[in-house]
Each structure stands twice: as structure tokens, then as C-alpha cells.
Amino acid sequence: MGVAKYIKDEKGAIKEVTYQSGITVKPAYGPEDLEQAGFEYKKDLGAPGEFPFTRSLHPESYRSRAWTTRQYTGFGTPEETNKRFKLMIANGQTGLNVAFDLPTQMGYDSDHPLAQGEVGRVGMAIDSLKDFEAAFAGIPLDRIGSGLTINAVATIMMAMYQAAAEKFGFKKEQISTTPQNDILKEMIGRGAWIFPVEHGVRLVGDSIEYAVKELPKSNPVSICGYHIRESGATPAQEIAYGFSIAKAYIDNVKDRGIDPSDFVGRFSFNFNVYGNLWEQIAKFRAARKLWAKMLKEDYGVTDKKKLWLRGLFGGGGSGLTKEQPENNIMRGAYYALGAALSGAQTTALCSFDEAYTIPTPRSALLSLRTLEMLMEEVGLRDTVDPLAGSYFIETLTLQMEEKIVEEMKEVEKWGGMVKSISNGFIQRKVSRQAYEYEKGLQSGEYRKVGVIPESERQESAKSGGTEKSDVELHEYNEEWAKHSISSLKEVRRTRNDKEVKDSLKALEKAAKGKDNIMPRLVRCCHAYATVGEMTGVFRDVFGEWTEPDFY
Amino acid sequence: MMKTTNKIRVLIAKPGLDGHDKGAKIVALALRDAGMEVIYSGLHQTLDQIIETAIQETVDVIGLSIMSGAHLPICEKLVAMMKENGLDDVRLSVGGVIPYQDIPKLEKMGVAAIFPGGSSFKEIVAGMNQLFD
Amino acid sequence: MPNADDIRSGNKLAGARLIQLIEKSDPNGFKLLKELYPDSGNAFIIGITGSPGVGKSTLIDGLIEAFRKMDFKVAVICVDPTSPFSGGAILGDRIRMQRHVTDKGVFIRSMASRGHKGGLSRTTKDCSVVLDAMGYDIIIIESVGAGQAEFDIIKIAHSIGVVSIPGAGDGIQAVKAGILETANIFIVNKSDRPDADATVESLKMMLNMRFSSQTEWLPRIYKTNALDKTGITIVAKAFLSHLKFMRQNDEWTRKRNELERLYFQSLLEDLVMEKVLEFMAVSKEVEAAIKRIGSHETDPISAAEQIADKILGF
């Protein structure tokens, strides 16, 4: 996925190049292109670290500090996760990134029928505060921050994190939690949603409002263009839909009378890096500029630091192939090069075997070395935004900016992101694009090195075919489920039933009205109400979402 | 009575909690473009819901999309439920994240068509049509 | 082969199998349908129509809930368009009703339009006969469009609801399509939009101009929106009010007879057409006529008249 469309003549010369985002590329660029595009240094570029930040958020960028890399953890039982956490901290990691199992992500307790076969499989199983206490025992939560990969029940996990910290004697003002908390992208591309769109956004708004007032060190939202791109969106749409989603959240909180300057500085993003190298670089530069402009012009934010497009540019899973998997090592290197040339602050790379298995230690190390090499060996730290001033890159950045704005205007025309997702406009567009792209790959219209298109496969089958590795799966351990369920039974047995009932009732009242549900959730967590019980209250009050047509 | 052409009716279902449905959606589109009638029942389906849908819609094929790796226990259970509910002439097919080594196990269980990730649209359409030759 | 008694007792597999036979034009299917016909005629058939994207399926999902709370057994037939290019279809309306799928008192069947304009066909009616015989109290039929098709909702449903959304000009469209004459209940969905009230007002105006009699059912207008369930319960009750009205005014019997007559007409048309097409495919006379037309010995009109007279024996 992500390959540009090339039209070649009989001799193999390229006659036409069209990027996924819809931009056509000329054979050569010169100063006249910059002129034609209306390029103006001050308006469109500026110095590194100066508005509109096209070149970089910081004046020195990698010269002062190399990019940070992330490693996810969390699987099985909270106790095992706790051991892993302590190991990573001992190895110098300064932040934790927590994954949760599917039942937790979907608001079900480990003994729910739908949880069968899933407890602890893709992440940690959390049923109540007791599990969080086990997971974060002995961790200095005033010094170590935690990213929580959780969305539909992010409010519950945030509340539980606070409750656990308080149990350990920390104050909520000291702790730092970064839940992913981007429900709108779930509805487009990841599928871990529960409630209808408007209610999902209300919960995000509640968590942001609460963070502003009570959790000053926490970052309440990480908007993921990443998954939207994985579902079929073009690079321009990835940014456009990401920003439109950000607007939906900002507007929700702004309507409560809170100044966007008080919270936008703590938004972060998660963007994808696969595809055409130049398209990605132009995308990120244009994104930095547009974000700063949008916050300044639409929301009156003036503080420089709050205009920054902070985030993780990485991943690239959709670009990898099952065929000839070692090619993915090189692909990863090129994607990472694009991220480095784009000045990514934080990055992560899918490992070469990720298309078909859980990364082995060896492949994880290769990814790490790939990232290290760029920073420490081949010169990506030497100077800020080295491609600035290039006729091609600056023209392309302006064109990408135009495309992104165009896509955002279309969302506005449909009534904004909430309406666009409720009605299915985005999902339909993205599904159709994914389908058309896949057809193009299978017909040979788009080419990936090492992959033989379906239409040509008959011949290659005779000559041996392409080598395809077999898939390896996340292991599933029955013991995790047994452990979680017995722990859950114990919690239900020993807690104060009256306090659970009262706290859930208070939660229900807040959910039905306009009061912020966060303090009520904290109370429920302290009472050892379970994830299933708290989500159950929301299910009763909000109902469950049903998807609109995608076709 | 007025003749209508016979169409293959396929249920595309995603059992369990996994939300990765890009594959299921593009396969649904491909099967439609191949002239089949696709009943798409959405995410987060329980096996009971899948069976009930298959009954009411008299589908010719139940097409499961499983990206979670749980295809063996799910298919085993579903095959048993299909028998219990009188769906003897309905075929079961499964696509998604399926290791090649599991294919013989699935076939032994009674799964009629298996499409591991990377199967082309042509292969899937041909595979579905072949079930009724 | 499904068993008639099984179907009468509401066995879903048996009923679905019969619907399948009918869709495949299997003669055994029609044999069974004839046997079951006397067991039909009890269900209240509601048609829900409106342009794509107005929220019909979500409304029906709410209606199912409302009717189930009143202890009625509900069946739904959803029709989705067949692709004119491939002949295939994606039938996805049931997603929005899927929470009812394991409810014993609910049956949801998806059908593709298979080229029939407006989506409905005589097969939809056949299907409703089966569901009626199975014992469903209420049968809801969802279709796209309103009143422009050869076989449309007015030939099947006792009560018709038209769903529209504010600002889409649907109110005006409805007038143009003649739906004003046939719709019994108007539902303005997504009523949280600012222009919802204006849409309701313009509909009211148009209806007041059209209806003046005391004995006719004055179509009612309701506002609904997906976030508010109470609005849908009111719509459900409105349909039941319409049913009560029809029963009290003898309208029910008149309507049932009319629907039966229309059904008979459709069946006759289809049967005759089928025979004619069969004949045309093999007839030497038709072959000869085509040749004579080609060589200009006769014209298409005369040739057609001649053969038609012969077939019908007039």
C-alpha cells in the first residue's frame, strides 16, 4: 500500500507520476515552480523553531536531542506486566506504554462470555483497581509517566490510574498519564468502539476538561491518523481527518467555556510513515504548519509551545509485505529515513516480520538499530530540516497543504467530523479507496518489489512462486484467564457492595446529565467497581453504536 | 413463476471483539462485484448471532473473518453449532490471519474454504464459486 | 423441503427455507405457499420508505424494540439495491437491527432488489405471506424510494411511513413523487438539525391543502432522532393508531381486499409473462416473424399484433 501510480512507456520510462494524495509530480523542478506555487519564505517556511514551524518545532531539533523511540508492553497478568515494567525502567526507559487486552478495551470483565479466548492475549487484562495496583506496584509514578493504549474506556482507565496512584500515596497533580483516548479514529479504522459517536466525544471532552483542572501533568488525547491511513486513507486525508477529529474534541471542550490554550498544548498525534518518501516528508512539514496556523487562526492560541504538532511519526505496518519478508528491513529503513528527514520527535518502527508475526527479539533489535543508525551514523542529526529550500520539496509541501485543506473542507461540507462518521461518509470513502488500491495491487497497477501481481501469478507459480513466510500468532495462555477470573471473584467477594452500588448510581446520574463523569469514575474505582460494571452503566445510558454502511 | 437467477448468498461475519475489518469489507465489495449477494453483519458478533443470521438469511456460505488467531476454537464451535441447528447444507469458510499449518486442521473440522491473508480477490471468488460446482 | 406445520408454528429455519425456494422460483416453493396462504392475512404490514441515508434502518431498529415491548412478534424485510454492473449486492441494513437477532420473536430477512426499480417485487410480497403464516403480528418492509416503481410499497403494505431528513428537500420530493397521496405517517428524522421544524411546517401545510375529509386518515408528522428513543415509541404507537382507525372505519377490510386483488394481478401478469417469454424463446412462428420484419415484408407492430392474437386466441 501507499505506492504512487506510475505510468511507463514500452521502454520503461516513467511518463506520469501521481501520488496517493492526488498530486502529480514533474520530471524536474526549478525556481519557477516555487513562484507558481506562491511560495513566500516568511509565510510558508520561516526559521526552524519559528511559526509556522514548517521546518521544525525546535531551532536545533536533532542537534540538541535525537528522536525518542517507543516500545510497547503489557500482556497477560498485571503481575507479569509489573515485572516487565520494572525491567524496562532498570534499562533506562523513562516512560511506560501499556497495552490492554480486547475485553478490557471493549469494557468487558474477564469472565464475560465475549472475553473467551481473549483474556490477556493482546495486552494486560484489567478488571478492577486491584489489577492496576498489581501492575503499577513499586513504580515511582511521580517520575515515570504511562501511555495507555485505550480508547472507548479511556476515562475509566485514567480514573483507575489516578485511584491506583492515590492508593500508593501519590497526588493526582504529580502523575502523568497519556491515554490514547481517540474514539473517532476507532470508528474509522480500528473498531474498538462502544458508544454512539456523540457520547464517545462527550467522554473525551470530560477527560480533557478533567485533565485541565485536576491532572496537570497528563496528556489526555493522542489523535491517531495512523489507523485511518491503515484503513485506506491517503496521506493528505490522514492529516485532514486527524485535524478534523482534533477540532471535534477541541470544540466540545471549548463549548464548556474552557479556553483551547489551556489544553491543546497537551494534544499529541500518531501518524504513519509508509509509502512514497517525498509524499510523507511533504505531509509532515505541511502538517506542522497547518496545525500551528489552525490553532492560531481558528482558536486564538498564541503561546508558541502550544502550537506544536507533537507526536509519533512511525509504524508503517501497511507498507510491509508477507512476500520476501527481508525486503521489509529495507522498507523500514526507508520509511524511517522519511521520518528523520521530516524531523519526527518520536518514532517507532514495525519490525520486518510484523506482517505475519509478533516481533521476535531479533527483529525488534533490527528496528531499533535501523533508527539508531540514522541518528548516530549516517548523519540525520547534522542539521535541521536538510531538504528545506529544495524546489521540489517546498513546492510539494505547499501542494500537500492545499490537498489537506481541501479534504478538511469536504469534511466541513458534510457537517464536521462527528456527522461525517455518524453518517458513514468517511468510512465509505476509506473502504472504497482500500478496495480500489487492493485491486490495483492485484492487477499490477501498483507495484511492490518482491510481490507478483495476481494477473501475472500463473507464470511465476510454474517457476516456484514467491516465498511466503507462515504466520505466527500471539500466544494465548489459559492461565491468564484463570488468574484474572479468580482475582475478579475475590474482588467481588471482599469489596463493600453498598459503596459500589452508590458510586455506580452517582456515575449513572452524571452520565445522564451534563456533569463530568471523571470524579464519579474515580470514586467507583476506589470502591473496586469493575470495568464491566462501569462500562455497563455507560452502555445503559448511552446505548451501543451500530455502524453505518461502508459501501 | 417468473424466473430469477440463482445468486450465491454469503454471510461475512466478524466473530469476537477484534475490530480490524478492512479485510472483511474489501472482500465483501469484491464478492459483490463478482455477482454474489453479501450479507454483512458487522463487528463484535457472537457465534449465536452468526448462526441465527445464517438461519434467517438462508445463506449458502458463512464467511468468517478472523484476525485474532482464534480461528481453531471458533471454527470448531461453529461447525458443531451449524450441525445442531440444521445448517447441513451451508458451507463454512474462513479468512484472515491463518497459519498454513492450521489449514489441514481446519479442513478436517469441516471448514470448506480457507483464505489466509494475502489471498487475492480472484482466488476468493473462485474458491467460493467452486463450493457450488 | 420445509414442512408446512413447522412454518405455521414459527420455525425460523423452515420459514427461511421456504423463502429461499420462492426466491429461486422453485415450483415446490409455490406449492407450499399455496398451502400456507389461508394461514396468512393476519399480520399488520408496515412499509417504511425514504431516500438512502435518512435513517430507515435505525428507525426500524427502534420500532422493533417498541413493538417487542408491547409483546408483538415482529418480522422485517430489508431491501437493498442490486449492483447494475455485477448483479451482486451488499445487504447491510440488518447491522442496525442486529441486536435483536437472537430475540425469538424477531425475524429479519435481507433481499436484493435484483433489478426491480424501487427495490420491491412480487417476491417481497410472497415473502411477507410466509412471514404472515409463521405468525408474525407485524411485518415491516424497508425499501428505498417512494412510489416511482412498478411494484411498490402500496401493493404490499397496509400502512406506509415515509422517512425524510430536514433540509434535503425531501418534503418537496415526496410531493412530486405522489407519496403525499399514499403515505400515512411522515417521520422527520435527525430532528436535532436546526431546520427540522421548518421541514415539519412545510409538510403540514402541504398535507392540510390535500386532506379535508373527516373520514380519511389525516397523515401525521413526527420528529425523531437517533439519540432519543421516546420519539420512536410514539411513532410505533402512531402506526397502531392507524391500524385501529382502519379497523373502525371498515378501511381494513377494503385495504386487505385491495392488496389481495393487486397480488392476484401481479401473479397473473408474472405467470402470463413467463409463459410468453418461454414461448418466444422457442416458437418457430416468432422466428419467422423476426425474419419477415428483417426483410421488410412486415413491420414490428403488425407482426406483434398477429402473434399476440394467436397466443391469446382472440
Side-chain angles (χ1 to χ4, degrees):
Chain A
M1 269 198 87
V3 183
K5 185 150 153 207
Y6 294 104
I7 297 182
K8 301 181 177 168
D9 69 12
E10 337 73 58
K11 296 201 190 114
I14 297 176
K15 293 277 125 196
E16 242 180 77
V17 182
T18 314
Y19 286 167
Q20 250 200 305
S21 301
I23 300 169
T24 45
V25 178
K26 295 168 58 169
Y29 287 75
E32 64 283 356
D33 292 292
L34 285 181
E35 216 186 288
Q36 204 169 61
F39 177 82
E40 275 173 47
Y41 177 79
K42 198 140 198 260
K43 172 172 74 76
D44 297 315
L45 202 56
E50 292 298 321
F51 183 89
F53 307 106
T54 316
R55 299 195 65 183
S56 158
L57 301 180
H58 306 277
E60 297 237 311
S61 188
Y62 298 141
R63 282 284 286 249
S64 61
R65 206 179 59 166
W67 56 16
T68 37
T69 59
R70 295 255 164 144
Q71 196 92 15
Y72 280 86
T73 5
F75 63 94
T77 65
E79 288 79 5
E80 286 183 56
T81 305
N82 182 260
K83 276 196 221 131
R84 194 50 95 82
F85 282 168
K86 288 187 168 132
L87 185 66
M88 286 156 56
I89 293 171
N91 279 336
Q93 198 150 321
T94 51
L96 301 173
N97 270 305
V98 188
F100 297 93
D101 69 2
L102 275 177
T104 307
Q105 290 183 47
M106 297 302 295
Y108 293 117
D109 291 332
S110 301
D111 60 351
H112 192 278
L114 276 171
Q116 250 198 8
E118 287 291 346
V119 179
R121 201 174 59 85
V122 302
M124 192 165 52
I126 298 292
D127 291 323
S128 76
L129 179 61
K130 183 154 176 248
D131 297 318
F132 251 39
E133 289 175 271
F136 294 102
I139 310 271
L141 295 174
D142 55 342
R143 286 190 291 111
I144 305 273
S146 304
L148 309 173
T149 313
I150 193 78
N151 294 278
V153 296
T155 46
I156 299 177
M157 291 296 117
M158 276 175 82
M160 204 178 276
Y161 190 81
Q162 177 187 327
E166 285 172 346
K167 268 244 134 100
F168 294 143
F170 299 103
K171 288 202 165 54
K172 57 177 154 51
E173 290 78 8
Q174 297 176 294
I175 58 173
S176 168
T177 169
T178 305
Q180 198 169 75
N181 200 11
D182 176 8
I183 193 62
L184 291 176
K185 71 97 172 37
E186 292 294 325
M187 287 158 161
I188 303 173
R190 194 172 168 270
W193 42 260
I194 309 174
F195 318 114
V197 188
E198 294 82 356
H199 296 296
V201 173
R202 179 264 174 102
L203 290 177
V204 174
D206 275 12
S207 64
I208 295 173
E209 182 183 31
Y210 188 73
V212 167
K213 297 179 176 155
E214 312 288 347
L215 304 170
K217 279 172 74 183
S218 294
N219 307 294
V221 176
S222 188
I223 294 158
C224 302
Y226 185 97
H227 307 87
I228 303 175
R229 180 103 196 274
E230 297 273 297
S231 305
T234 67
Q237 287 165 351
E238 180 190 5
I239 305 296
Y241 297 161
F243 286 0
S244 300
I245 287 175
K247 280 184 98 168
Y249 300 147
I250 296 174
D251 290 340
N252 179 286
V253 181
K254 184 168 146 236
D255 288 345
R256 299 167 192 230
I258 300 176
D259 185 353
S261 299
D262 290 340
F263 58 88
V264 289
R266 288 190 276 153
F267 275 18
S268 64
F269 287 88
N270 188 346
F271 287 129
N272 219 321
V273 288
Y274 75 91
N276 180 283
L277 184 69
W278 314 117
E279 198 182 5
Q280 301 317 302
I281 294 169
K283 172 186 92 178
F284 290 123
R285 297 172 91 244
R288 260 196 301 267
K289 175 181 172 199
L290 272 171
W291 180 244
K293 275 175 71 180
M294 186 177 104
L295 289 182
K296 193 164 184 217
E297 289 162 20
D298 296 350
Y299 295 104
V301 179
T302 48
D303 184 337
K304 202 163 124 173
K305 280 207 175 125
K306 294 181 180 163
L307 296 172
W308 288 348
L309 181 84
R310 303 187 304 142
L312 186 148
F313 305 164
S318 277
L320 308 183
T321 60
K322 252 172 101 181
E323 293 85 343
Q324 296 180 12
E326 282 168 332
N327 291 346
N328 295 330
I329 297 174
M330 293 84 86
R331 282 194 181 99
Y334 298 137
Y335 298 158
L337 175 65
L341 287 170
S342 306
Q345 290 178 289
T346 308
T347 191
L349 207 56
C350 286
S351 39
F352 78 88
D353 48 7
E354 201 144 337
Y356 55 93
T357 185
I358 302 132
T360 55
R362 175 174 170 261
S363 66
L365 191 63
L366 277 173
S367 296
L368 212 60
R369 295 284 174 256
T370 306
L371 300 172
E372 224 183 304
M373 214 174 279
L374 283 166
M375 290 286 113
E376 304 305 328
E377 194 177 310
V378 294
L380 272 301
R381 286 186 71 182
D382 298 353
T383 189
V384 180
D385 190 30
L387 297 174
S390 144
Y391 302 124
F392 173 45
I393 292 295
E394 295 304 351
T395 307
L396 191 61
T397 304
L398 282 175
Q399 289 174 322
M400 184 60 85
E401 184 187 340
E402 234 174 78
K403 279 285 170 205
I404 297 170
V405 169
E406 212 177 277
E407 299 280 357
M408 284 182 78
K409 282 209 170 90
E410 196 177 36
V411 174
E412 282 309 305
K413 200 177 68 163
W414 290 334
M417 209 43 164
V418 170
K419 287 220 164 79
S420 301
I421 292 176
S422 298
N423 290 324
F425 292 131
I426 308 275
Q427 297 92 314
R428 265 196 288 287
K429 194 161 187 164
V430 153
S431 288
R432 282 195 190 137
Q433 282 170 190
Y435 180 47
E436 291 304 319
Y437 191 84
E438 187 59 38
K439 278 203 289 191
L441 268 181
Q442 292 182 16
S443 70
E445 192 186 351
Y446 301 111
R447 297 242 160 204
K448 301 257 326 169
V449 171
V451 177
I452 299 179
E454 171 72 43
S455 48
E456 294 158 31
R457 231 179 254 183
Q458 300 289 38
E459 288 78 45
S460 92
K462 290 179 196 140
S463 56
T466 56
E467 123 215 3
K468 264 193 209 180
S469 309
D470 204 2
V471 183
E472 244 177 75
L473 309 163
H474 277 286
E475 63 173 296
Y476 179 67
N477 189 338
E478 282 291 343
E479 289 308 309
W480 296 333
K482 285 200 186 121
H483 175 94
S484 286
I485 293 173
S486 76
S487 183
L488 181 59
K489 285 200 170 95
E490 180 69 12
V491 165
R492 288 204 184 112
R493 208 175 53 81
T494 54
R495 63 190 183 172
N496 180 334
D497 284 329
K498 182 168 184 313
E499 177 53 14
V500 173
K501 203 160 151 217
D502 290 344
S503 60
L504 289 173
K505 231 176 159 76
L507 179 67
E508 186 186 29
K509 186 152 176 255
K512 281 189 172 148
K514 284 195 189 311
D515 287 342
N516 196 309
I517 44 89
M518 289 298 297
R520 279 84 183 176
L521 278 175
V522 175
R523 181 184 166 195
C524 292
C525 290
H526 272 298
Y528 293 93
T530 68
V531 171
E533 284 164 344
M534 292 181 270
T535 313
V537 168
F538 288 155
R539 279 195 157 98
D540 285 337
V541 176
F542 301 143
E544 290 183 354
W545 194 47
T546 46
E547 303 167 79
D549 297 338
F550 67 90
Y551 45 94
Chain B
M1 294 295 151
M2 208 54 166
K3 291 246 171 285
T4 51
T5 40
N6 286 346
K7 313 263 180 178
I8 299 178
R9 278 169 75 96
V10 184
L11 168 61
I12 297 287
K14 277 208 67 70
L17 299 177
D18 174 59
H20 293 97
D21 57 1
K22 186 180 93 174
K25 284 177 173 169
I26 64 181
V27 168
L29 289 168
L31 293 179
R32 176 202 61 188
D33 287 349
M36 300 185 200
E37 289 177 353
V38 180
I39 289 123
Y40 187 81
S41 55
L43 290 178
H44 315 147
Q45 297 294 291
T46 61
L47 297 187
D48 281 325
Q49 288 176 313
I50 293 174
I51 291 286
E52 209 34 60
T53 306
I55 290 173
Q56 294 175 23
E57 300 282 9
T58 49
V59 300
D60 298 305
V61 186
I62 296 176
L64 297 177
S65 165
I66 304 177
M67 310 296 270
S68 62
H71 44 277
L72 287 171
I74 290 176
C75 288
E76 195 172 5
K77 226 180 246 157
L78 202 65
V79 168
M81 287 170 84
M82 284 167 75
K83 284 206 177 73
E84 269 164 43
N85 285 276
L87 296 175
D88 305 301
D89 51 353
V90 178
R91 320 305 201 268
L92 181 60
S93 91
V94 65
V97 176
I98 300 171
Y100 296 131
Q101 67 191 27
D102 284 350
I103 293 179
K105 293 184 199 157
L106 290 167
E107 283 170 343
K108 196 149 168 240
M109 274 180 204
V111 181
I114 297 143
F115 304 109
S119 302
S120 68
F121 294 143
K122 204 160 138 194
E123 282 166 346
I124 298 173
V125 169
M128 290 289 187
N129 279 317
Q130 259 162 40
L131 296 174
F132 302 98
D133 282 344
Chain C
M1 251 301 267
N3 177 292
D5 282 324
D6 284 339
I7 296 172
R8 285 185 193 107
S9 65
N11 182 306
K12 288 184 180 176
L13 185 57
R17 286 259 159 85
L18 176 53
I19 292 172
Q20 184 185 41
L21 288 174
I22 291 168
E23 275 196 301
K24 291 188 171 164
S25 302
D26 189 307
N28 288 317
F30 289 97
K31 210 161 134 216
L32 198 46
L33 192 64
K34 276 192 279 188
E35 200 183 323
L36 288 167
Y37 190 81
D39 300 289
S40 71
N42 307 302
F44 175 34
I45 304 177
I46 296 173
I48 299 288
T49 187
S51 306
V54 297
K56 297 185 291 293
S57 301
T58 313
L59 173 70
I60 294 175
D61 170 68
L63 289 175
I64 297 173
E65 185 182 346
F67 287 135
R68 287 300 290 141
K69 284 207 175 101
M70 302 180 210
D71 249 343
F72 291 116
K73 289 171 67 182
V74 185
V76 182
I77 304 176
C78 307
V79 185
D80 264 318
T82 294
S83 158
F85 308 110
S86 70
I90 297 190
L91 311 174
D93 289 335
R94 73 176 300 135
I95 287 186
R96 277 171 293 293
M97 309 166 202
Q98 197 64 348
R99 65 185 168 117
H100 302 287
V101 70
T102 47
D103 181 340
K104 297 252 179 294
V106 176
F107 190 109
I108 301 168
R109 177 84 182 185
S110 309
M111 299 179 80
S113 65
R114 296 192 179 176
H116 293 104
K117 225 175 21 143
L120 301 187
S121 64
R122 205 214 65 242
T123 317
T124 321
K125 171 73 186 181
D126 298 334
C127 181
S128 74
V129 170
V130 177
L131 295 167
D132 201 334
M134 281 170 81
Y136 288 95
D137 304 301
I138 298 175
I139 300 173
I140 303 175
I141 303 186
E142 175 184 353
S143 81
V144 171
Q148 300 122 326
E150 319 121 12
F151 191 99
D152 56 43
I153 201 77
I154 59 170
K155 290 187 179 172
I156 309 183
H158 300 114
S159 188
I160 296 176
V162 173
V163 187
S164 61
I165 46 176
D170 280 60
I172 324 292
Q173 293 293 349
V175 178
K176 286 185 181 162
I179 238 325
L180 208 52
E181 265 85 67
T182 52
N184 307 112
I185 297 189
F186 285 88
I187 299 126
V188 176
N189 199 15
K190 309 198 183 174
S191 60
D192 43 312
R193 289 200 201 170
D195 39 3
D197 286 332
T199 307
V200 171
E201 282 315 306
S202 67
L203 273 173
K204 267 194 193 147
M205 258 182 6
M206 287 187 271
L207 290 171
N208 282 327
M209 290 195 294
R210 159 82 177 76
F211 291 91
S212 51
S213 155
Q214 297 280 23
T215 53
E216 276 179 294
W217 166 268
L218 178 68
R220 299 185 187 177
I221 307 171
Y222 295 96
K223 290 196 291 186
T224 56
N225 86 70
L227 298 180
D228 169 27
K229 283 290 158 75
T230 51
I232 298 183
T233 309
I234 293 171
V235 173
K237 292 200 170 122
F239 278 111
L240 294 173
S241 293
H242 185 217
L243 175 62
K244 192 163 159 202
F245 178 91
M246 287 192 285
R247 286 212 158 107
Q248 285 171 344
N249 289 277
D250 231 12
E251 177 69 12
W252 175 247
T253 320
R254 192 199 67 79
K255 190 97 224 213
R256 262 187 23 200
N257 290 341
E258 186 191 340
L259 290 180
E260 223 171 17
R261 182 182 58 81
L262 288 167
Y263 186 32
F264 160 67
Q265 220 165 282
S266 286
L267 288 161
L268 186 58
E269 279 170 26
D270 288 343
L271 259 176
V272 169
M273 200 50 194
E274 187 187 319
K275 292 273 182 278
V276 169
L277 289 173
E278 269 173 29
F279 171 76
M280 284 184 72
V282 300
S283 157
K284 297 256 182 297
E285 283 175 14
V286 169
E287 211 180 303
I290 293 173
K291 278 209 184 90
R292 291 212 313 279
I293 294 169
S295 58
H296 296 293
E297 286 169 58
T298 182
D299 66 272
I301 304 149
S302 311
E305 279 179 343
Q306 223 171 24
I307 301 212
D309 285 346
K310 209 163 204 158
I311 295 176
L312 297 170
F314 289 163

